[in-house]
């Protein structure tokens, strides 16, 4: 019964007898032989039995099916010993002993004959007897190639040939798994011996990996990489004629390895450079950054945190001040730490008041919500808590409308005036007070027309680093510009490590360093944090949680409720890409969440 032997990286992983008239090979679960690799098509190849013969056909694979080095398309008749290559797998086709394998016929080579002429015995005198003798032998050993690109060829072994892929080898095998210089065969004193000469994959005799000179006999199988060879030696001595001696190897026949002293020199030089670099960079790291650098960075980050209203950057600057104080307990660092600590405490209080205001608003306690939001705004050191203002305006509007419904127009106008003071552009307050809409302020104009810095920042966040650098040429030197240039440089280093050096670890380190400096860069977060599989059960739960808030906004225009609902919709959209086989219910829920997430809350 024919059989297939499947190997991966020289290790057998499957053996299958051909008991059916059709064998399918591919990555699909339904294939008879399932091979897990992205280079293999779902339905890659098949083997069919017709009239006692077996035919291999490629069924339209992307990367092809090979027998040896030949690419097979359709109806290739398999012969015993054929090697099928479906990268990275190797499949051997073998017929059982009872079956007659199809063999490549080749003409018999004439027997080698060697004449050795003796010499005249010394001391025989003029009439010395001629001691010349004639010795001949026939049937010199041969090496038959049973698989690989040279399958069917045979080579004479009487000249002690070197076997390998290199052009200097007497027996040249072009299979990529054979080393440049793989093995040497020696035929001396009617003994045939093989030895591995430092190959990468080793040399096997009858399946056993050899590590010393090994004697060969007729019919022995030799494995070099993925090439199978066989010894044919008609004149081999019988076992009874051989003496029990250890096979020997003449080292003078094996070429000595070339001395490559320059490699040692390069290695030593590289080691010296690495040690010097370690001393130069590592020793300063053991002592940490100096006080002056730490307090300077803290001042810069503190200033930037106040400008950008970033609590994360403020916390980071506070950490740097602590580190500076550990180096030197100086008054300037203590004063700066006290200043930042007061701001952080104020922001914490403002956040607490803002959360209480939101809770009161959601319960319909609008007057209480407006008062709590005012306390949050009064405590806030610089509009770090944006929700407080939004909640107060929404609560005041609800109170004003309640006064209007009760006929208390004067009280209603008082609320609208406060709203107009908080936000002069609020159209509801303008309409209620009968005022014309004020012209846009310089700040609002600047917001509608982004600065060069903001345009460069947007290009950087979108990954267009070249455009961002070009725009920054027109921006005046500032801490913000230098910071953005540093972020761009980190991103470029990460891309170079990933795309040019193929060093994923180094790239991830740079991406993580960039995230630490710029936590708002969503593009980089998505590179470092793999997206999870989309879970319909979780998505449905989030959608149901957002239902009441969405209805509250739809009925009453509650902006806080809209933001709360959109937080859940954001979780749905960011939960991972939809599966390709998503149902209509999943698709509808996902698209609805995405559509509602696009609605912009009014200020």
């Amino acid at each position: 019964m024919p059989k297939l032997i499947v190997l991966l990286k020289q290790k057998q992983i499957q053996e299958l007898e051909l008991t059916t008239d059709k064998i399918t090979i591919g990555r699909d679960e339904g294939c008879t032989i399932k091979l897990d690799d992205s280079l293999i098509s779902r339905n890659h190849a098949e083997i069919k039995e017709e009239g006692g013969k077996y035919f291999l056909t490629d069924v339209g694979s992307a990367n092809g099916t090979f027998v040896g080095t030949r690419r097979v398309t359709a109806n290739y008749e398999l012969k015993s010993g054929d090697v099928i290559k479906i990268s990275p797998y190797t499949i051997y086709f073998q017929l059982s002993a009872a079956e007659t394998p199809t063999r490549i016929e080749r003409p018999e080579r004439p027997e080698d004959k060697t004449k050795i002429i003796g010499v005249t015995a010394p001391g025989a005198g003029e009439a010395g007897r001629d001691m010349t003798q004639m010795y001949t032998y026939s049937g010199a050993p041969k090496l038959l190639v049973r698989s690989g690109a040279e399958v069917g060829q045979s080579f004479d072994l009487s000249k002690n040939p070197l076997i390998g892929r290199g052009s200097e080898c007497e027996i040249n095998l072009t299979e990529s798994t054979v080393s440049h210089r793989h093995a040497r065969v020696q035929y001396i004193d009617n003994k045939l011996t093989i030895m591995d000469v430092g190959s990468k994959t080793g040399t096997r005799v009858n399946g056993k990996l050899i590590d010393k000179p090994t004697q060969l006999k007729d019919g022995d199988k030799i494995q070099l990489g993925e090439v199978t060879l066989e010894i044919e030696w008609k004149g081999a001595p019988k076992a009874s004629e051989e003496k029990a001696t250890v096979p020997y190897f003449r080292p003078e026949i094996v070429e000595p390895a070339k001395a490559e002293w320059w490699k040692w020199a390069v290695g030593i030089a590289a080691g010296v450079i690495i040690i010097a670099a370690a001393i130069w960079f590592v020793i300063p790291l053991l002592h940490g950054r100096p006080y002056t650098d730490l307090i300077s960075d803290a001042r810069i980050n503190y200033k930037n945190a106040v400008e950008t209203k970033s609590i994360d950057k403020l916390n980071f600057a506070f950490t740097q001040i602590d580190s500076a104080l550990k180096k030197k307990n100086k008054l300037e660092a203590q004063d700066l730490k006290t200043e930042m600590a007061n701001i952080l405490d104020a922001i914490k209080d403002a956040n607490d008041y803002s959360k209480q205001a939101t809770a009161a608003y959601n319960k319909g306690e609008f007057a209480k919500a407006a008062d709590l939001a005012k306390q949050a705004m009064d405590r806030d050191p610089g509009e770090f808590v944006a929700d407080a203002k939004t909640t107060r305006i929404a609560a005041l509007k609800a109170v004003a409308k309640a006064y209007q419904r009760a006929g208390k127009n004067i009280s209603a106008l008082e609320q609208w005036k406060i709203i107009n003071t908080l936000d002069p552009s609020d159209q509801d307050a303008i309409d209620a007070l009968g005022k014309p809409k004020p012209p846009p302020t310089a700040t609002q104009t600047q917001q509608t027309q982004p600065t060069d810095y903001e345009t460069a920042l947007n290009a950087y966040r979108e990954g267009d680093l070249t455009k961002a650098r070009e725009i920054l040429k027109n921006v005046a030197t500032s801490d913000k510009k230098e910071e953005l240039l540093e972020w761009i440089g980190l991103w470029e280093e990460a891309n170079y490590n990933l795309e040019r050096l193929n060093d994923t670890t180094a790239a991830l380190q740079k991406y993580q360093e960039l995230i630490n400096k710029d936590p708002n860069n969503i593009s980089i977060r998505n590179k470092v944090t793999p997206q999870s599989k989309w879970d319909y059960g979780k998505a449905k739960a989030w959608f149901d949680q957002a239902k009441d808030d969405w209805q509250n906004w739809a009925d009453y225009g509650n902006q806080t409720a809209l933001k709360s609902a959109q937080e859940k919709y954001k979780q749905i959209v960011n939960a991972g890409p939809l599966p390709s086989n998503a149902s209509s219910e999943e698709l509808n829920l996902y698209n609805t969440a995405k559509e509602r997430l696009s609605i912009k809350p009014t200020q």
Side-chain angles (χ1 to χ4, degrees), residues 298-344:
R299 289 185 186 280
I300 293 170
N301 287 322
Y302 175 38
K303 179 183 176 182
N304 186 256
V306 174
E307 289 176 353
T308 59
K309 313 302 178 189
S310 171
I311 299 175
D312 289 338
K313 290 182 180 178
L314 193 58
N315 278 315
F316 183 60
F318 191 82
T319 303
Q320 289 178 312
I321 281 295
D322 271 340
S323 298
L325 283 169
K326 290 177 182 177
K327 294 286 182 182
K328 291 182 181 179
N329 194 346
K330 298 184 71 174
L331 185 61
E332 61 172 343
Q334 292 174 359
D335 290 344
L336 188 57
K337 180 178 180 180
T338 301
E339 183 180 342
M340 283 194 284
N342 290 336
I343 288 181
L344 286 169

Side-chain angles (χ1 to χ4, degrees), residues 419-456:
I419 294 170
N420 184 253
T421 303
L422 293 170
D423 183 8
S425 65
D426 187 276
Q427 191 61 47
D428 291 338
I430 292 170
D431 294 341
L433 297 172
K435 289 185 176 183
K437 189 171 184 179
T441 64
T443 302
Q444 290 171 330
T445 304
Q446 190 176 16
Q447 288 175 349
T448 56
Q449 297 178 354
T451 63
D452 285 342
Y453 171 80
E454 290 169 337
T455 305

Side-chain angles (χ1 to χ4, degrees), residues 106-164:
R106 60 186 183 278
E108 288 294 329
R109 298 180 62 178
E111 293 183 339
D112 295 326
K113 294 185 178 180
T114 302
K115 175 186 286 187
I116 302 176
I117 303 178
V119 295
T120 303
E126 293 182 347
R129 186 165 50 89
D130 188 2
M131 298 293 293
T132 302
Q133 298 181 14
M134 298 293 294
Y135 297 95
T136 64
Y137 65 89
S138 62
K142 297 177 182 178
L143 189 67
L144 309 180
V145 183
R146 293 305 191 192
S147 69
E150 288 75 26
V151 64
Q153 295 187 31
S154 66
F155 298 94
D156 180 20
L157 297 179
S158 63
K159 301 293 179 66
N160 304 320
L162 176 65
I163 308 173

Side-chain angles (χ1 to χ4, degrees), residues 494-508:
N495 289 344
Y496 182 83
N497 286 328
L498 185 63
E499 297 167 5
R500 300 293 297 277
L501 301 182
N502 199 26
D503 190 343
T504 307
T505 303
L508 286 175

